[in-house]
Amino acid sequence: MAPPQEPTPTELRQRYRIERERRVRPDGARQYRGTDAEFGHYGVDPYVGEAAEREPVHDAVDVAVVGGGFGGLLAGARIRQQGVERVRIIEKGGDFGGTWYWNRYPGIHCDIESHVYLPLLDETGYVPEWKYAPGEEIRRHAMRVAQHFDLYPDALFSTAATSLRWDEASEKWIVTTDRGDAFRATYVVTSTGTLSEPKLPRIPGIEDFRGHTLHTSRWDYAYTGGGPDGGLTRLSDKRVGVVGTGATGVQVIPMLAEDAGHVYVFQRTPSSVDVRDNRPTTAADVSADHEGWARERRDNFLRIVSGEEAERDLVADGWTSSAGLLEKLLPSFRRCGDRESFESAYEAADAAKMNELRARVEQIVADQDTAEKLKPWYRYACKRPTFSDLYYPAFNRDNVTLIDTADTHGIERVTENGVVVGDTTYELDCLIFATGFSVGVSGIHSGKLPAHGRDGVQLRDAWAQHGPHTLHGFTSSGFPNLIQMGSLQNASSVNFTHILDEQAVHAAALIAAAEAQDALIEPSHEAEDAWRATLAEDAPDHEWFHAECTPGYYNGEGRGRPNGPTAYPHGAFAFHELLKRWREESMAEALRPRASREA
Ligand code: NDP
């Protein structure tokens, strides 16, 4: 039999447009809501229950770090390395780990190679057991880092920072929390994460469902039985619905398929699911025999996924082999040479990869109708690419049914007994939301964690008129000794812990310099303006790509991304080089004398 003909570029473009139109909704990001209120169990930490009583603290520390995920931990570790004594991390969860503390759903793994994802491997001497680490190994590593850098004694767990206020007289921050704490800190570092606010679709009737509900970031093992490795035996007689087939859905669905009575997968947009090939770490995988091996490997990965030249590909996986196609997401992406031939070559490479991924579905999924529904019809990386060798085989099981909800823009209604799509009601005992997070919303930008700087001005208000004003994304005039971590006016990468580590090194260097010179960290307006000009100069136009993509959080749910340059235009690797040079040559730009010293 002749092999099926591959679609022409015009046919593909047409198909992608049709598939996008099937999914774009007029309400864009407003189709989502938070997870609190009537989903009562979201208010309580499922891993420690109600927080233990403790006395509020009213002391003074050198540095307060808001957030105990890898960003906060890295800040703590790098600041400790500078010899700073009192570092207090404030964390909502009952322990360190951030997203890895909250997300413990069955099947959870990191989709980036553990040897480059887990930070501080050189420093802690730890070699990950698996190429792609399970969540529990990652969470244990977070705790290892905290122990190694002695970050437990001053930490405040099950505690949310509620306000930051600059006190001009003492030139310190006053930090308050929801546990009645009010303490002083010479410096504040914020690292509140990008995947910390779970979201639910605003589906009519969602509150009426009488069965059990949960969001994947708050798994309820008391209900399902088992643990992150599976064994969800209490679901054996249950009809389980899963909403969402993103990176989380792809990991959790095969585990549910193993144990649940029946699994109904409500899919709106299929993920692209590439080969995973996970395996235990071997000596051949990682040359952990010399100092700095992890840093070397991590730098090599960042080089490749940032579109830089690299002599070797140490990680050699799905991310690095498709790095060329990821480049269109990078600020540094440039169409080079003759535009027309460049674009058609690029489009052809994209089509080849996506054809390969669609063929993979056909090879694995036996039922043709199901296979058709699982095929991703969009350009590579319109959605975060996913990797699994378990996902497609799950659809060959009799107890798994795929329901395509694209034509109804998602599930339409929830009733007391189940979920409605088109003319059919699917009766369920349990409904699981793998519907993701409000990505990228930082508390001090949204006002949820008000930061009042000089003259009581709140950061959100200071930026309301002209947008964010920072030097390198970290510091802002009017907000002395406040250092923000995150990707705003900074840089990003698929391996975000690497970005966070570079940021932590930078934050620690700023603090060390301020201490050495008895100065405040506060850039001038001029330095901020110059940084904005750098970001604007050469700012790439990604809209051509996102405008053709199926909706999701990468492209503002199909409506385009916020205007204005938000990242360094030459990519993460170049940004880190720039920061290093700046620390060596121009750090004084961000320091000013203390008023107390001037008086
Ligand atoms: P996503 O936002 O990626 O996915 C949400 C899913 O819910 C999508 O499939 C979405 O469909 C679906 N959905 C939302 N509303 C409806 C509705 N009304 N009806 C039907 N379906 C609906 O969330 P994830 O938790 O999967 O992933 C979030 C991010 O977390 C990832 O992009 C990644 O950065 C990170 N992550 C990382 C992992 C790692 O290994 N490092 C593992 C897991 C997550 P649609 O696509 O049509 O909007």
PDB file of all heavy atoms in Angstrom, residues 70-71 73-75 77-78 81 118-123 295 298 474 485 495-508 576 583:
ATOM      1  N   PHE A  70      12.010  26.634  44.217  1.00  0.00           N
ATOM      2  CA  PHE A  70      13.428  26.649  43.854  1.00  0.00           C
ATOM      3  C   PHE A  70      13.982  28.070  43.737  1.00  0.00           C
ATOM      4  O   PHE A  70      15.150  28.297  44.041  1.00  0.00           O
ATOM      5  CB  PHE A  70      13.677  25.836  42.579  1.00  0.00           C
ATOM      6  CG  PHE A  70      13.852  24.367  42.862  1.00  0.00           C
ATOM      7  CD1 PHE A  70      13.060  23.422  42.232  1.00  0.00           C
ATOM      8  CD2 PHE A  70      14.814  23.927  43.765  1.00  0.00           C
ATOM      9  CE1 PHE A  70      13.221  22.062  42.505  1.00  0.00           C
ATOM     10  CE2 PHE A  70      14.984  22.580  44.044  1.00  0.00           C
ATOM     11  CZ  PHE A  70      14.180  21.643  43.413  1.00  0.00           C
ATOM     12  N   GLY A  71      13.147  29.031  43.326  1.00  0.00           N
ATOM     13  CA  GLY A  71      13.636  30.412  43.244  1.00  0.00           C
ATOM     14  C   GLY A  71      14.073  30.915  44.608  1.00  0.00           C
ATOM     15  O   GLY A  71      15.202  31.410  44.790  1.00  0.00           O
ATOM     16  N   LEU A  73      14.680  29.158  47.321  1.00  0.00           N
ATOM     17  CA  LEU A  73      15.770  28.333  47.860  1.00  0.00           C
ATOM     18  C   LEU A  73      17.113  28.738  47.254  1.00  0.00           C
ATOM     19  O   LEU A  73      18.128  28.818  47.959  1.00  0.00           O
ATOM     20  CB  LEU A  73      15.515  26.863  47.541  1.00  0.00           C
ATOM     21  CG  LEU A  73      14.524  26.152  48.457  1.00  0.00           C
ATOM     22  CD1 LEU A  73      14.124  24.809  47.865  1.00  0.00           C
ATOM     23  CD2 LEU A  73      15.131  25.952  49.849  1.00  0.00           C
ATOM     24  N   LEU A  74      17.093  28.976  45.948  1.00  0.00           N
ATOM     25  CA  LEU A  74      18.346  29.381  45.294  1.00  0.00           C
ATOM     26  C   LEU A  74      18.796  30.734  45.812  1.00  0.00           C
ATOM     27  O   LEU A  74      19.994  30.948  46.061  1.00  0.00           O
ATOM     28  CB  LEU A  74      18.149  29.418  43.776  1.00  0.00           C
ATOM     29  CG  LEU A  74      18.234  28.029  43.132  1.00  0.00           C
ATOM     30  CD1 LEU A  74      17.511  27.982  41.792  1.00  0.00           C
ATOM     31  CD2 LEU A  74      19.702  27.624  42.958  1.00  0.00           C
ATOM     32  N   ALA A  75      17.831  31.644  46.006  1.00  0.00           N
ATOM     33  CA  ALA A  75      18.197  32.957  46.564  1.00  0.00           C
ATOM     34  C   ALA A  75      18.832  32.743  47.936  1.00  0.00           C
ATOM     35  O   ALA A  75      19.909  33.274  48.237  1.00  0.00           O
ATOM     36  CB  ALA A  75      16.968  33.855  46.657  1.00  0.00           C
ATOM     37  N   ALA A  77      20.297  30.097  49.152  1.00  0.00           N
ATOM     38  CA  ALA A  77      21.595  29.418  49.055  1.00  0.00           C
ATOM     39  C   ALA A  77      22.682  30.386  48.599  1.00  0.00           C
ATOM     40  O   ALA A  77      23.772  30.453  49.192  1.00  0.00           O
ATOM     41  CB  ALA A  77      21.485  28.252  48.079  1.00  0.00           C
ATOM     42  N   ARG A  78      22.396  31.133  47.533  1.00  0.00           N
ATOM     43  CA  ARG A  78      23.423  32.038  46.990  1.00  0.00           C
ATOM     44  C   ARG A  78      23.727  33.185  47.952  1.00  0.00           C
ATOM     45  O   ARG A  78      24.868  33.657  48.027  1.00  0.00           O
ATOM     46  CB  ARG A  78      22.984  32.581  45.626  1.00  0.00           C
ATOM     47  CG  ARG A  78      22.807  31.521  44.534  1.00  0.00           C
ATOM     48  CD  ARG A  78      24.077  30.741  44.307  1.00  0.00           C
ATOM     49  NE  ARG A  78      23.978  29.776  43.213  1.00  0.00           N
ATOM     50  CZ  ARG A  78      24.885  28.852  42.978  1.00  0.00           C
ATOM     51  NH1 ARG A  78      25.946  28.710  43.751  1.00  0.00           N
ATOM     52  NH2 ARG A  78      24.745  28.017  41.962  1.00  0.00           N
ATOM     53  N   GLN A  81      25.952  31.867  50.608  1.00  0.00           N
ATOM     54  CA  GLN A  81      27.344  31.756  50.121  1.00  0.00           C
ATOM     55  C   GLN A  81      28.078  33.084  50.226  1.00  0.00           C
ATOM     56  O   GLN A  81      29.303  33.119  50.217  1.00  0.00           O
ATOM     57  CB  GLN A  81      27.358  31.275  48.660  1.00  0.00           C
ATOM     58  CG  GLN A  81      27.035  29.793  48.527  1.00  0.00           C
ATOM     59  CD  GLN A  81      27.027  29.350  47.071  1.00  0.00           C
ATOM     60  OE1 GLN A  81      26.596  30.083  46.189  1.00  0.00           O
ATOM     61  NE2 GLN A  81      27.488  28.133  46.814  1.00  0.00           N
ATOM     62  N   LEU A 118      17.568  19.982  38.168  1.00  0.00           N
ATOM     63  CA  LEU A 118      17.766  20.111  39.619  1.00  0.00           C
ATOM     64  C   LEU A 118      18.951  21.038  39.885  1.00  0.00           C
ATOM     65  O   LEU A 118      20.066  20.774  39.419  1.00  0.00           O
ATOM     66  CB  LEU A 118      18.022  18.745  40.257  1.00  0.00           C
ATOM     67  CG  LEU A 118      16.838  17.796  40.307  1.00  0.00           C
ATOM     68  CD1 LEU A 118      17.165  16.566  41.126  1.00  0.00           C
ATOM     69  CD2 LEU A 118      15.609  18.461  40.879  1.00  0.00           C
ATOM     70  N   PRO A 119      18.716  22.101  40.633  1.00  0.00           N
ATOM     71  CA  PRO A 119      19.803  23.053  40.851  1.00  0.00           C
ATOM     72  C   PRO A 119      20.758  22.601  41.945  1.00  0.00           C
ATOM     73  O   PRO A 119      20.432  21.715  42.749  1.00  0.00           O
ATOM     74  CB  PRO A 119      19.058  24.324  41.275  1.00  0.00           C
ATOM     75  CG  PRO A 119      17.788  23.859  41.882  1.00  0.00           C
ATOM     76  CD  PRO A 119      17.447  22.538  41.231  1.00  0.00           C
ATOM     77  N   LEU A 120      21.923  23.207  41.971  1.00  0.00           N
ATOM     78  CA  LEU A 120      22.900  23.036  43.050  1.00  0.00           C
ATOM     79  C   LEU A 120      23.359  21.582  43.212  1.00  0.00           C
ATOM     80  O   LEU A 120      23.616  21.118  44.321  1.00  0.00           O
ATOM     81  CB  LEU A 120      22.332  23.586  44.376  1.00  0.00           C
ATOM     82  CG  LEU A 120      21.994  25.090  44.340  1.00  0.00           C
ATOM     83  CD1 LEU A 120      21.096  25.489  45.496  1.00  0.00           C
ATOM     84  CD2 LEU A 120      23.262  25.929  44.350  1.00  0.00           C
ATOM     85  N   LEU A 121      23.452  20.855  42.107  1.00  0.00           N
ATOM     86  CA  LEU A 121      23.945  19.474  42.184  1.00  0.00           C
ATOM     87  C   LEU A 121      25.437  19.459  42.507  1.00  0.00           C
ATOM     88  O   LEU A 121      25.894  18.646  43.306  1.00  0.00           O
ATOM     89  CB  LEU A 121      23.682  18.737  40.866  1.00  0.00           C
ATOM     90  CG  LEU A 121      22.214  18.463  40.540  1.00  0.00           C
ATOM     91  CD1 LEU A 121      22.090  17.764  39.195  1.00  0.00           C
ATOM     92  CD2 LEU A 121      21.543  17.623  41.623  1.00  0.00           C
ATOM     93  N   ASP A 122      26.189  20.376  41.894  1.00  0.00           N
ATOM     94  CA  ASP A 122      27.627  20.426  42.197  1.00  0.00           C
ATOM     95  C   ASP A 122      27.834  20.716  43.679  1.00  0.00           C
ATOM     96  O   ASP A 122      28.669  20.099  44.331  1.00  0.00           O
ATOM     97  CB  ASP A 122      28.305  21.535  41.377  1.00  0.00           C
ATOM     98  CG  ASP A 122      28.310  21.221  39.887  1.00  0.00           C
ATOM     99  OD1 ASP A 122      28.672  20.084  39.540  1.00  0.00           O
ATOM    100  OD2 ASP A 122      27.945  22.097  39.091  1.00  0.00           O
ATOM    101  N   GLU A 123      27.043  21.643  44.194  1.00  0.00           N
ATOM    102  CA  GLU A 123      27.228  22.097  45.581  1.00  0.00           C
ATOM    103  C   GLU A 123      26.789  21.037  46.593  1.00  0.00           C
ATOM    104  O   GLU A 123      27.389  20.888  47.650  1.00  0.00           O
ATOM    105  CB  GLU A 123      26.433  23.390  45.820  1.00  0.00           C
ATOM    106  CG  GLU A 123      26.975  24.608  45.093  1.00  0.00           C
ATOM    107  CD  GLU A 123      26.638  24.660  43.601  1.00  0.00           C
ATOM    108  OE1 GLU A 123      26.012  23.703  43.075  1.00  0.00           O
ATOM    109  OE2 GLU A 123      26.997  25.653  42.956  1.00  0.00           O
ATOM    110  N   ARG A 295      27.027  22.070  36.179  1.00  0.00           N
ATOM    111  CA  ARG A 295      27.000  23.424  35.601  1.00  0.00           C
ATOM    112  C   ARG A 295      27.315  23.358  34.100  1.00  0.00           C
ATOM    113  O   ARG A 295      26.654  23.988  33.288  1.00  0.00           O
ATOM    114  CB  ARG A 295      28.006  24.317  36.333  1.00  0.00           C
ATOM    115  CG  ARG A 295      27.811  25.792  36.043  1.00  0.00           C
ATOM    116  CD  ARG A 295      28.558  26.667  37.022  1.00  0.00           C
ATOM    117  NE  ARG A 295      28.236  26.307  38.397  1.00  0.00           N
ATOM    118  CZ  ARG A 295      29.122  25.847  39.275  1.00  0.00           C
ATOM    119  NH1 ARG A 295      30.380  25.683  38.930  1.00  0.00           N
ATOM    120  NH2 ARG A 295      28.768  25.542  40.503  1.00  0.00           N
ATOM    121  N   ARG A 298      24.292  21.934  32.258  1.00  0.00           N
ATOM    122  CA  ARG A 298      23.195  22.896  32.270  1.00  0.00           C
ATOM    123  C   ARG A 298      23.474  24.029  31.282  1.00  0.00           C
ATOM    124  O   ARG A 298      22.609  24.465  30.535  1.00  0.00           O
ATOM    125  CB  ARG A 298      23.115  23.422  33.704  1.00  0.00           C
ATOM    126  CG  ARG A 298      21.916  24.145  34.071  1.00  0.00           C
ATOM    127  CD  ARG A 298      22.071  24.701  35.461  1.00  0.00           C
ATOM    128  NE  ARG A 298      23.048  25.798  35.492  1.00  0.00           N
ATOM    129  CZ  ARG A 298      23.235  26.609  36.525  1.00  0.00           C
ATOM    130  NH1 ARG A 298      22.541  26.431  37.625  1.00  0.00           N
ATOM    131  NH2 ARG A 298      24.113  27.583  36.474  1.00  0.00           N
ATOM    132  N   PHE A 474      15.203  43.235  38.019  1.00  0.00           N
ATOM    133  CA  PHE A 474      15.394  42.916  39.439  1.00  0.00           C
ATOM    134  C   PHE A 474      14.979  44.044  40.388  1.00  0.00           C
ATOM    135  O   PHE A 474      14.353  43.799  41.410  1.00  0.00           O
ATOM    136  CB  PHE A 474      16.874  42.611  39.734  1.00  0.00           C
ATOM    137  CG  PHE A 474      17.395  41.378  39.061  1.00  0.00           C
ATOM    138  CD1 PHE A 474      18.185  41.460  37.921  1.00  0.00           C
ATOM    139  CD2 PHE A 474      17.113  40.126  39.577  1.00  0.00           C
ATOM    140  CE1 PHE A 474      18.679  40.319  37.306  1.00  0.00           C
ATOM    141  CE2 PHE A 474      17.609  38.977  38.971  1.00  0.00           C
ATOM    142  CZ  PHE A 474      18.386  39.074  37.825  1.00  0.00           C
ATOM    143  N   MET A 485      12.576  38.332  41.564  1.00  0.00           N
ATOM    144  CA  MET A 485      12.974  37.260  40.648  1.00  0.00           C
ATOM    145  C   MET A 485      11.758  36.929  39.782  1.00  0.00           C
ATOM    146  O   MET A 485      10.629  37.140  40.190  1.00  0.00           O
ATOM    147  CB  MET A 485      13.443  36.044  41.446  1.00  0.00           C
ATOM    148  CG  MET A 485      14.732  36.336  42.198  1.00  0.00           C
ATOM    149  SD  MET A 485      15.212  35.049  43.365  1.00  0.00           S
ATOM    150  CE  MET A 485      15.652  33.696  42.284  1.00  0.00           C
ATOM    151  N   ASN A 495      14.118  25.565  30.729  1.00  0.00           N
ATOM    152  CA  ASN A 495      14.711  25.085  31.980  1.00  0.00           C
ATOM    153  C   ASN A 495      14.752  26.239  32.978  1.00  0.00           C
ATOM    154  O   ASN A 495      15.786  26.885  33.186  1.00  0.00           O
ATOM    155  CB  ASN A 495      16.117  24.533  31.736  1.00  0.00           C
ATOM    156  CG  ASN A 495      16.667  23.867  32.978  1.00  0.00           C
ATOM    157  OD1 ASN A 495      15.907  23.529  33.900  1.00  0.00           O
ATOM    158  ND2 ASN A 495      17.966  23.687  33.025  1.00  0.00           N
ATOM    159  N   PHE A 496      13.624  26.470  33.625  1.00  0.00           N
ATOM    160  CA  PHE A 496      13.482  27.705  34.394  1.00  0.00           C
ATOM    161  C   PHE A 496      14.342  27.732  35.660  1.00  0.00           C
ATOM    162  O   PHE A 496      14.734  28.804  36.123  1.00  0.00           O
ATOM    163  CB  PHE A 496      12.006  27.964  34.721  1.00  0.00           C
ATOM    164  CG  PHE A 496      11.742  29.409  35.037  1.00  0.00           C
ATOM    165  CD1 PHE A 496      12.046  30.398  34.117  1.00  0.00           C
ATOM    166  CD2 PHE A 496      11.231  29.780  36.267  1.00  0.00           C
ATOM    167  CE1 PHE A 496      11.840  31.752  34.404  1.00  0.00           C
ATOM    168  CE2 PHE A 496      11.020  31.127  36.571  1.00  0.00           C
ATOM    169  CZ  PHE A 496      11.320  32.111  35.630  1.00  0.00           C
ATOM    170  N   THR A 497      14.680  26.578  36.222  1.00  0.00           N
ATOM    171  CA  THR A 497      15.516  26.603  37.429  1.00  0.00           C
ATOM    172  C   THR A 497      16.903  27.180  37.120  1.00  0.00           C
ATOM    173  O   THR A 497      17.532  27.774  37.988  1.00  0.00           O
ATOM    174  CB  THR A 497      15.693  25.199  38.036  1.00  0.00           C
ATOM    175  OG1 THR A 497      16.133  24.326  37.001  1.00  0.00           O
ATOM    176  CG2 THR A 497      14.426  24.691  38.665  1.00  0.00           C
ATOM    177  N   HIS A 498      17.362  27.007  35.879  1.00  0.00           N
ATOM    178  CA  HIS A 498      18.647  27.601  35.505  1.00  0.00           C
ATOM    179  C   HIS A 498      18.538  29.126  35.529  1.00  0.00           C
ATOM    180  O   HIS A 498      19.410  29.823  36.062  1.00  0.00           O
ATOM    181  CB  HIS A 498      19.056  27.107  34.109  1.00  0.00           C
ATOM    182  CG  HIS A 498      20.427  27.567  33.713  1.00  0.00           C
ATOM    183  ND1 HIS A 498      21.068  27.107  32.604  1.00  0.00           N
ATOM    184  CD2 HIS A 498      21.285  28.454  34.284  1.00  0.00           C
ATOM    185  CE1 HIS A 498      22.261  27.681  32.498  1.00  0.00           C
ATOM    186  NE2 HIS A 498      22.410  28.509  33.511  1.00  0.00           N
ATOM    187  N   ILE A 499      17.439  29.625  34.992  1.00  0.00           N
ATOM    188  CA  ILE A 499      17.203  31.069  34.995  1.00  0.00           C
ATOM    189  C   ILE A 499      17.176  31.572  36.442  1.00  0.00           C
ATOM    190  O   ILE A 499      17.807  32.574  36.791  1.00  0.00           O
ATOM    191  CB  ILE A 499      15.843  31.373  34.307  1.00  0.00           C
ATOM    192  CG1 ILE A 499      15.856  30.889  32.858  1.00  0.00           C
ATOM    193  CG2 ILE A 499      15.456  32.840  34.432  1.00  0.00           C
ATOM    194  CD1 ILE A 499      16.778  31.611  31.943  1.00  0.00           C
ATOM    195  N   LEU A 500      16.466  30.818  37.292  1.00  0.00           N
ATOM    196  CA  LEU A 500      16.348  31.233  38.698  1.00  0.00           C
ATOM    197  C   LEU A 500      17.706  31.238  39.382  1.00  0.00           C
ATOM    198  O   LEU A 500      17.991  32.097  40.224  1.00  0.00           O
ATOM    199  CB  LEU A 500      15.381  30.304  39.441  1.00  0.00           C
ATOM    200  CG  LEU A 500      13.912  30.434  39.040  1.00  0.00           C
ATOM    201  CD1 LEU A 500      13.087  29.316  39.674  1.00  0.00           C
ATOM    202  CD2 LEU A 500      13.349  31.799  39.471  1.00  0.00           C
ATOM    203  N   ASP A 501      18.564  30.296  39.036  1.00  0.00           N
ATOM    204  CA  ASP A 501      19.877  30.261  39.677  1.00  0.00           C
ATOM    205  C   ASP A 501      20.702  31.486  39.270  1.00  0.00           C
ATOM    206  O   ASP A 501      21.345  32.117  40.115  1.00  0.00           O
ATOM    207  CB  ASP A 501      20.619  28.968  39.351  1.00  0.00           C
ATOM    208  CG  ASP A 501      21.813  28.765  40.282  1.00  0.00           C
ATOM    209  OD1 ASP A 501      21.880  29.458  41.327  1.00  0.00           O
ATOM    210  OD2 ASP A 501      22.686  27.934  39.978  1.00  0.00           O
ATOM    211  N   GLU A 502      20.661  31.832  38.000  1.00  0.00           N
ATOM    212  CA  GLU A 502      21.410  33.026  37.567  1.00  0.00           C
ATOM    213  C   GLU A 502      20.862  34.261  38.284  1.00  0.00           C
ATOM    214  O   GLU A 502      21.610  35.161  38.659  1.00  0.00           O
ATOM    215  CB  GLU A 502      21.303  33.213  36.049  1.00  0.00           C
ATOM    216  CG  GLU A 502      21.892  32.071  35.231  1.00  0.00           C
ATOM    217  CD  GLU A 502      23.422  32.069  35.196  1.00  0.00           C
ATOM    218  OE1 GLU A 502      24.041  33.064  35.605  1.00  0.00           O
ATOM    219  OE2 GLU A 502      23.989  31.034  34.758  1.00  0.00           O
ATOM    220  N   GLN A 503      19.553  34.294  38.468  1.00  0.00           N
ATOM    221  CA  GLN A 503      18.943  35.431  39.160  1.00  0.00           C
ATOM    222  C   GLN A 503      19.371  35.463  40.627  1.00  0.00           C
ATOM    223  O   GLN A 503      19.627  36.526  41.189  1.00  0.00           O
ATOM    224  CB  GLN A 503      17.417  35.348  39.063  1.00  0.00           C
ATOM    225  CG  GLN A 503      16.924  35.491  37.635  1.00  0.00           C
ATOM    226  CD  GLN A 503      15.413  35.479  37.516  1.00  0.00           C
ATOM    227  OE1 GLN A 503      14.710  35.261  38.495  1.00  0.00           O
ATOM    228  NE2 GLN A 503      14.919  35.707  36.317  1.00  0.00           N
ATOM    229  N   ALA A 504      19.443  34.271  41.233  1.00  0.00           N
ATOM    230  CA  ALA A 504      19.827  34.193  42.644  1.00  0.00           C
ATOM    231  C   ALA A 504      21.274  34.652  42.828  1.00  0.00           C
ATOM    232  O   ALA A 504      21.595  35.384  43.778  1.00  0.00           O
ATOM    233  CB  ALA A 504      19.651  32.764  43.146  1.00  0.00           C
ATOM    234  N   VAL A 505      22.141  34.239  41.911  1.00  0.00           N
ATOM    235  CA  VAL A 505      23.547  34.663  41.977  1.00  0.00           C
ATOM    236  C   VAL A 505      23.610  36.193  41.889  1.00  0.00           C
ATOM    237  O   VAL A 505      24.341  36.858  42.640  1.00  0.00           O
ATOM    238  CB  VAL A 505      24.352  34.013  40.816  1.00  0.00           C
ATOM    239  CG1 VAL A 505      25.702  34.673  40.616  1.00  0.00           C
ATOM    240  CG2 VAL A 505      24.512  32.513  41.074  1.00  0.00           C
ATOM    241  N   HIS A 506      22.794  36.735  41.000  1.00  0.00           N
ATOM    242  CA  HIS A 506      22.797  38.188  40.810  1.00  0.00           C
ATOM    243  C   HIS A 506      22.272  38.902  42.068  1.00  0.00           C
ATOM    244  O   HIS A 506      22.867  39.874  42.537  1.00  0.00           O
ATOM    245  CB  HIS A 506      21.929  38.529  39.595  1.00  0.00           C
ATOM    246  CG  HIS A 506      22.088  39.931  39.126  1.00  0.00           C
ATOM    247  ND1 HIS A 506      23.192  40.350  38.431  1.00  0.00           N
ATOM    248  CD2 HIS A 506      21.290  41.027  39.273  1.00  0.00           C
ATOM    249  CE1 HIS A 506      23.068  41.643  38.159  1.00  0.00           C
ATOM    250  NE2 HIS A 506      21.923  42.077  38.658  1.00  0.00           N
ATOM    251  N   ALA A 507      21.169  38.389  42.612  1.00  0.00           N
ATOM    252  CA  ALA A 507      20.585  38.998  43.818  1.00  0.00           C
ATOM    253  C   ALA A 507      21.595  38.972  44.957  1.00  0.00           C
ATOM    254  O   ALA A 507      21.783  39.969  45.678  1.00  0.00           O
ATOM    255  CB  ALA A 507      19.312  38.242  44.214  1.00  0.00           C
ATOM    256  N   ALA A 508      22.265  37.836  45.110  1.00  0.00           N
ATOM    257  CA  ALA A 508      23.233  37.701  46.204  1.00  0.00           C
ATOM    258  C   ALA A 508      24.404  38.659  46.006  1.00  0.00           C
ATOM    259  O   ALA A 508      24.906  39.249  46.977  1.00  0.00           O
ATOM    260  CB  ALA A 508      23.730  36.258  46.270  1.00  0.00           C
ATOM    261  N   HIS A 576      22.737  36.337  30.521  1.00  0.00           N
ATOM    262  CA  HIS A 576      23.585  35.960  31.658  1.00  0.00           C
ATOM    263  C   HIS A 576      25.004  36.515  31.498  1.00  0.00           C
ATOM    264  O   HIS A 576      25.624  36.935  32.477  1.00  0.00           O
ATOM    265  CB  HIS A 576      23.601  34.435  31.831  1.00  0.00           C
ATOM    266  CG  HIS A 576      22.244  33.890  32.145  1.00  0.00           C
ATOM    267  ND1 HIS A 576      21.886  32.589  31.934  1.00  0.00           N
ATOM    268  CD2 HIS A 576      21.132  34.496  32.652  1.00  0.00           C
ATOM    269  CE1 HIS A 576      20.625  32.407  32.293  1.00  0.00           C
ATOM    270  NE2 HIS A 576      20.151  33.552  32.724  1.00  0.00           N
ATOM    271  N   ARG A 583      28.073  43.073  36.567  1.00  0.00           N
ATOM    272  CA  ARG A 583      28.482  42.928  37.971  1.00  0.00           C
ATOM    273  C   ARG A 583      29.955  43.293  38.131  1.00  0.00           C
ATOM    274  O   ARG A 583      30.354  43.869  39.135  1.00  0.00           O
ATOM    275  CB  ARG A 583      28.244  41.492  38.462  1.00  0.00           C
ATOM    276  CG  ARG A 583      26.788  41.147  38.658  1.00  0.00           C
ATOM    277  CD  ARG A 583      26.607  39.906  39.504  1.00  0.00           C
ATOM    278  NE  ARG A 583      27.093  38.685  38.903  1.00  0.00           N
ATOM    279  CZ  ARG A 583      26.375  37.878  38.128  1.00  0.00           C
ATOM    280  NH1 ARG A 583      25.125  38.168  37.837  1.00  0.00           N
ATOM    281  NH2 ARG A 583      26.892  36.769  37.636  1.00  0.00           N
TER     282      ARG A 583
END
